[in-house]
Amino acid sequence: MEEMKYTIKEANNEINRLTNLLNLYIDRKNLLFNETQPKVADSNTDRVDGSMTREEKFFKYVYKCENEDIEWWIEKLNIYIIALSNYVEKELKRIGEYEPLKQKVYNLRNDEEYMKKNKGKPREWWKIAEATNYSERQCRRIYSSITGKRYNGR
């Protein structure tokens, strides 16, 4: 069994990359399908002689889709994206269970009741540090690692 060695950030990046690839295959499939649809007759075109042969557009579409394995890629990419999403959700749940103080730092900083009482200002870092027994700097680092933002209002 292949072991996934992704951080949550890497897994989210991989999900975004695979989603872009999936959209590429879906767009390719839609372009091939649109070629099978009837076109609007143009009255300005020159008349052609009757020796033109008709091609079966739908069979050509099916052949191209099978030749490029579009359906197979779409299915496999969907399955892998779902698996990675489940992995990220379970990792976040695991981190939340084993690191409640980190979650507490985030919750104390974004406490809406406190912000309402203090004119929209978040709780000060020194108060968060006292509540969690971390240093102010460590609280800022934890908060920035959760939010992904570099500046946390010093």
Side-chain angles (χ1 to χ4, degrees):
M1 182 174 162
E2 183 180 328
E3 183 180 334
M4 284 194 198
K5 294 183 180 178
Y6 287 121
T7 63
I8 294 173
K9 188 174 183 179
E10 290 171 342
N12 282 329
N13 187 27
E14 185 70 8
I15 289 171
N16 290 337
R17 188 185 72 77
L18 292 173
T19 302
N20 290 340
L21 189 60
L22 177 66
N23 288 335
L24 175 74
Y25 280 108
I26 290 172
D27 289 344
R28 176 69 178 146
K29 182 180 175 184
N30 289 336
L31 285 173
L32 289 173
F33 180 74
N34 287 339
E35 290 177 5
T36 66
Q37 301 305 304
K39 307 287 188 270
V40 176
D42 188 9
S43 60
N44 295 331
T45 58
D46 296 331
R47 294 190 180 261
V48 295
D49 61 355
S51 65
M52 270 187 70
T53 59
R54 292 188 124 215
E55 60 184 18
E56 187 59 52
K57 291 182 179 181
F58 186 73
F59 288 125
K60 190 175 181 181
Y61 160 74
V62 171
Y63 176 74
K64 282 184 179 179
C65 283
E66 286 179 357
N67 194 27
E68 296 178 13
D69 293 328
I70 291 176
E71 291 292 330
W72 183 84
W73 278 107
I74 290 173
E75 181 183 344
K76 296 302 176 193
L77 286 171
N78 270 328
I79 290 169
Y80 195 56
I81 289 170
I82 290 169
L84 277 175
S85 298
N86 290 339
Y87 169 76
V88 169
E89 288 175 19
K90 288 178 183 175
E91 279 295 300
L92 288 173
K93 186 177 179 182
R94 183 187 63 82
I95 289 171
E97 289 173 357
Y98 292 111
E99 299 180 22
L101 284 178
K102 289 186 177 186
Q103 190 65 34
K104 188 175 181 182
V105 168
Y106 180 80
N107 291 337
L108 287 172
R109 184 69 176 171
N110 294 322
D111 188 9
E112 290 186 18
E113 291 178 20
Y114 184 87
M115 285 188 201
K116 285 179 185 176
K117 292 178 186 174
N118 294 298
K119 302 176 186 172
K121 293 182 181 178
R123 194 177 309 261
E124 291 86 6
W125 288 112
W126 66 269
K127 290 181 182 178
I128 296 171
E130 279 183 1
T132 58
N133 294 325
Y134 284 139
S135 68
E136 287 183 42
R137 187 169 174 86
Q138 183 65 22
C139 290
R140 284 191 183 114
R141 274 195 215 117
I142 290 168
Y143 187 79
S144 67
S145 70
I146 292 172
T147 60
K149 294 179 183 175
R150 204 166 168 192
Y151 177 74
N152 293 316
R154 297 178 191 233

